[in-house]
Amino acid sequence: LKDDIADFQKKFSADVPEETLKMFQDATDRLAATGIAGKSLGVGSEISSFSLPNAVGDIVSSDELLQKGPLVISFYRGLWCPYCNLELPALLQILPQIKESGAQLVAISPQKPDKTFETKEKLSLEFEVLSDIENKVARQFGLVFALADELRPLYEQFGIDIPAHNGDESYELPMPATYVVDQRGKIVYAFVNADYSKRAEPAEIIDELKQID
């Protein structure tokens, strides 16, 4: 995955003005400096139960998923995010191994259900994709932040309308994060980074699942 991300970044950097790239980086650096990633739920924490609608509106419960086995949770920003569109297919590739370990996989974003449905269809995802309206579950994990004011018009220039995707004007997003949770609801692996270009390597997820008793 990191190689795919590096390839994308190389092409993106070649097409975007240096001043724009600096604005993106400065905003990321400021977010990282707040220490938000270190304050989010980490290894050893227990998750709170949650229930969210999937791509077709059915309610998916974390308690019911954990009754079947461990749970892999991927928080992503939205269909508009090119890094998410690299990460989610990479997770799909390891879905057979996740299932072999007895685990379930869900991806969660603050997008409205229609955008969640579009994400699942466009990327041909074969796992549950859930709508976390107003980032209520992401907030429980300590992942939520508001997109920097100066980036909002830039996103619009790139054709990204976050309020249209999320159904509100808050511009709140989750930091991309990946968790492995054992059947007791305890986090055994956590990858959280304020830099949205950094994502958990799929192989690490499988390694962690193999270590669960």
Side-chain angles (χ1 to χ4, degrees):
L1 177 57
K2 66 173 183 269
D3 292 338
D4 291 339
I5 288 174
D7 288 343
F8 167 77
Q9 287 181 309
K10 186 176 180 181
K11 294 171 186 173
F12 184 74
S13 298
D15 294 336
V16 176
E18 190 171 329
E19 181 182 349
T20 300
L21 293 174
K22 186 176 186 304
M23 289 179 69
F24 282 128
Q25 188 59 55
D26 287 349
T28 298
D29 291 344
R30 288 200 308 275
L31 180 62
T34 67
I36 183 175
K39 298 170 187 173
S40 63
L41 289 189
V43 173
S45 299
E46 289 190 11
I47 70 168
S48 299
S49 300
F50 62 82
S51 296
L52 293 172
N54 66 9
V56 294
D58 295 332
I59 300 300
V60 175
S61 159
S62 61
D63 287 342
E64 290 179 5
L65 292 172
L66 287 171
Q67 286 175 10
K68 301 174 184 177
L71 181 59
V72 179
I73 305 172
S74 173
F75 287 93
Y76 72 103
R77 303 196 299 166
L79 180 60
W80 52 267
C81 169
Y83 297 96
C84 302
N85 293 341
L86 292 172
E87 180 183 27
L88 294 176
L91 291 175
L92 179 61
Q93 289 182 9
I94 62 165
L95 184 59
Q97 293 164 273
I98 291 174
K99 289 182 175 179
E100 281 174 19
S101 71
Q104 308 284 314
L105 168 63
V106 297
I108 299 174
S109 86
Q111 296 183 115
K112 297 185 299 182
D114 62 322
K115 293 298 182 182
T116 294
F117 179 82
E118 188 179 342
T119 300
K120 184 160 185 174
E121 290 292 299
K122 185 174 182 179
L123 301 178
S124 301
L125 302 178
E126 298 172 7
F127 50 85
E128 293 284 19
V129 186
L130 310 180
S131 289
D132 181 22
I133 301 300
E134 297 181 352
N135 285 290
K136 290 178 180 177
V137 174
R139 212 177 304 279
Q140 293 174 8
F141 282 75
L143 302 174
V144 181
F145 71 98
L147 186 70
D149 289 343
E150 70 272 17
L151 294 187
R152 298 177 188 185
L154 279 179
Y155 273 53
E156 290 171 9
Q157 288 175 26
F158 282 101
I160 299 170
D161 188 342
I162 290 178
H165 277 257
N166 294 357
D168 63 52
E169 300 288 334
S170 70
Y171 282 88
E172 288 187 333
L173 298 170
M175 288 184 295
T178 303
Y179 292 93
V180 176
V181 182
D182 69 16
Q183 279 197 270
R184 297 168 294 179
K186 184 178 176 182
I187 296 171
V188 297
Y189 171 80
F191 182 97
V192 184
N193 199 309
D195 183 344
Y196 55 81
S197 71
K198 303 291 193 295
R199 305 296 170 110
E201 275 298 313
E204 288 184 11
I205 297 169
I206 299 303
D207 288 343
E208 291 297 330
L209 286 171
K210 289 177 179 177
Q211 294 177 40
I212 295 178
D213 294 333

